[in-house]
Amino acid sequence: MNNRVFTVFVLMTMSLFVSADDHGSDMSVTTYYNFSTSNQSEVVAAITKFANSDCRKEMPARIRVMQNHFNGYEEATHTVLIGYESTTDMQKSLQLMSSCDAMQELMSGMAALTKPVSQSMAIPLLTGGDVSKDTVYMVWQLSIDDEATYLEAYGKLMKAQIEAGIVNGGWGLMRMGGGADSDITHIAYSGAQDLTALLQSRNPSPAFAAFQKTMAEVRTVTRLAVNFVMADL
């Protein structure tokens, strides 16, 4: 199983799904289920059916489905992200999913329609913006040697990028937990309302150029991807 496909979401990313009036993250844990499929419409229909079930309505969690575009040679075509406000909510949701008929039906359908690629978990370190308004994300898969140093520099970078009007959507840095490997220890993401807004700045800002130079000894970028939001359920 390939544990290198951690696309958000982005992010998503994401310490997922901040409400419109919240300028940070309210999710303490996000889980990522990456898979490949050639039957997108049937997969979305199966997930939507589950989303309308009583089982889903009882889950204290938020679900986002991402389509993985521009992700190099990675196998996964889609990612389902499930965000939890606390580990208690995560435990309750997992118990519900393991016992309800709607989830068993979904798992059976997904087994016939998809090929699993990886499962992983991440914890937010620093986040901001409103991911509920984003439709697309830039995602950096990272291997970081000195988290404290990187986190401090990343916070200063994002402050400068926001003040310059370069970052307008949800953004964050996540530490990988279960499912991490030596090539990917963290994920950084930056969202936007559409692809035009995401790609508005073709050249690195002075702040970003300085950040890259300073952090060259601290982190390695394993992969850069662009992924799109399909649905929030």
Side-chain angles (χ1 to χ4, degrees):
M1 182 173 289
N2 185 349
N3 285 326
R4 298 181 61 187
V5 189
F6 299 131
T7 50
V8 54
F9 137 218
V10 260
L11 316 115
M12 139 194 159
T13 195
M14 309 176 164
S15 30
L16 262 175
F17 311 119
V18 220
S19 62
D21 58 351
D22 187 356
H23 296 287
S25 167
D26 60 355
M27 294 293 157
S28 66
V29 182
T30 298
T31 54
Y32 305 79
Y33 300 89
N34 299 281
F35 59 88
S36 61
T37 184
S38 58
N39 300 289
Q40 175 174 291
S41 60
E42 292 182 58
V43 167
V44 173
I47 296 174
T48 301
K49 183 177 180 180
F50 169 74
N52 292 325
S53 69
D54 290 338
C55 178
R56 165 65 187 105
K57 293 172 183 177
E58 293 178 19
M59 287 174 56
R62 301 178 186 180
I63 300 175
R64 172 168 280 183
V65 183
M66 302 289 294
Q67 188 173 25
N68 303 343
H69 282 288
F70 311 120
N71 62 337
Y73 296 99
E74 297 289 8
E75 291 182 56
T77 60
H78 296 76
T79 302
V80 174
L81 303 97
I82 306 180
Y84 308 96
E85 292 185 357
S86 67
T87 53
T88 300
D89 285 350
M90 182 178 180
Q91 181 66 34
K92 179 179 179 179
S93 297
L94 291 175
Q95 290 175 341
L96 282 167
M97 288 189 285
S98 67
S99 60
C100 73
D101 292 339
M103 174 54 74
Q104 304 312 310
E105 181 181 349
L106 173 61
M107 295 300 292
S108 178
M110 293 289 279
L113 295 169
T114 69
K115 176 184 176 183
V117 175
S118 70
Q119 300 178 26
S120 56
M121 179 190 305
I123 298 170
L125 297 176
L126 185 62
T127 64
D130 184 354
V131 298
S132 69
K133 297 179 180 179
D134 298 332
T135 66
V136 61
Y137 290 89
M138 190 83 75
V139 181
W140 292 262
Q141 299 175 5
L142 308 168
S143 177
I144 297 176
D145 295 326
D146 184 341
E147 181 181 272
T149 297
Y150 189 88
L151 186 60
E152 181 180 0
Y154 178 78
K156 293 178 180 177
L157 168 67
M158 297 313 295
K159 183 175 185 293
Q161 296 288 79
I162 292 168
E163 290 176 351
I166 296 171
V167 172
N168 297 293
W171 57 271
L173 179 67
M174 310 284 287
R175 178 197 298 141
M176 299 309 301
D181 60 29
S182 59
D183 290 334
I184 303 175
T185 61
H186 296 73
I187 299 173
Y189 65 89
S190 182
Q193 62 182 3
D194 55 36
L195 191 59
T196 299
L198 186 72
L199 302 178
Q200 65 175 322
S201 179
R202 294 178 179 268
N203 299 313
S205 66
F208 188 74
F211 172 81
Q212 283 191 305
K213 183 177 181 179
T214 304
M215 292 295 104
E217 300 292 326
V218 176
R219 64 94 177 92
T220 299
V221 179
T222 303
R223 185 172 301 279
L224 176 62
V226 176
N227 298 306
F228 294 81
V229 177
M230 289 188 64
D232 288 330
L233 303 170

